[in-house]
Amino acid sequence: MKTLERLTLSDISGQKRLDIKLNGEISLTHTVGQVIDHFLDSKRIPRNRLRWSAFSRGVLLDNKKALGDLSEIDAQWRVVPEVSAG
């Protein structure tokens, strides 16, 4: 399994996008949740007291998982708020 070298994150509309080369500001020891926070901060997306998640290939990523535990096929993420109807 080849490890990640780059990440591409985008919001659900695809209008806000961030390309990250790992081992700079973000390393393989960072978690998915930390990278989501970095994306929201750098793109100035308000959190609105919501929890945010990332999906890769349509699969929810665990916010506590380290980037070093992901393979290169998980290099493109959609970052979305968790909302519930209720």
Side-chain angles (χ1 to χ4, degrees):
M1 175 170 79
K2 192 171 177 187
T3 60
L4 289 171
E5 295 177 10
R6 293 185 154 288
L7 280 176
T8 301
L9 288 78
S10 63
D11 66 344
I12 196 159
S13 68
Q15 293 181 1
K16 296 191 179 192
R17 182 181 170 124
L18 179 66
D19 292 312
I20 300 172
K21 183 176 179 184
L22 298 181
N23 294 328
E25 194 172 329
I26 301 292
S27 70
L28 293 173
T29 59
H30 283 86
T31 65
V32 169
Q34 290 171 321
V35 176
I36 291 170
D37 288 341
H38 177 74
F39 172 73
L40 296 174
D41 291 341
S42 67
K43 294 301 174 183
R44 298 180 184 179
I45 298 172
R47 288 177 174 77
N48 296 330
R49 296 188 298 188
L50 297 172
R51 292 180 55 187
W52 289 75
S53 299
F55 288 83
S56 174
R57 300 176 295 122
V59 177
L60 176 65
L61 297 172
D62 181 353
N63 281 0
K64 295 179 183 176
K65 191 170 220 169
L67 297 181
D69 295 335
L70 299 175
S71 72
E72 70 176 316
I73 61 172
D74 291 318
Q76 294 187 0
W77 300 3
R78 286 279 183 192
V79 178
V80 299
E82 292 181 18
V83 294
S84 63

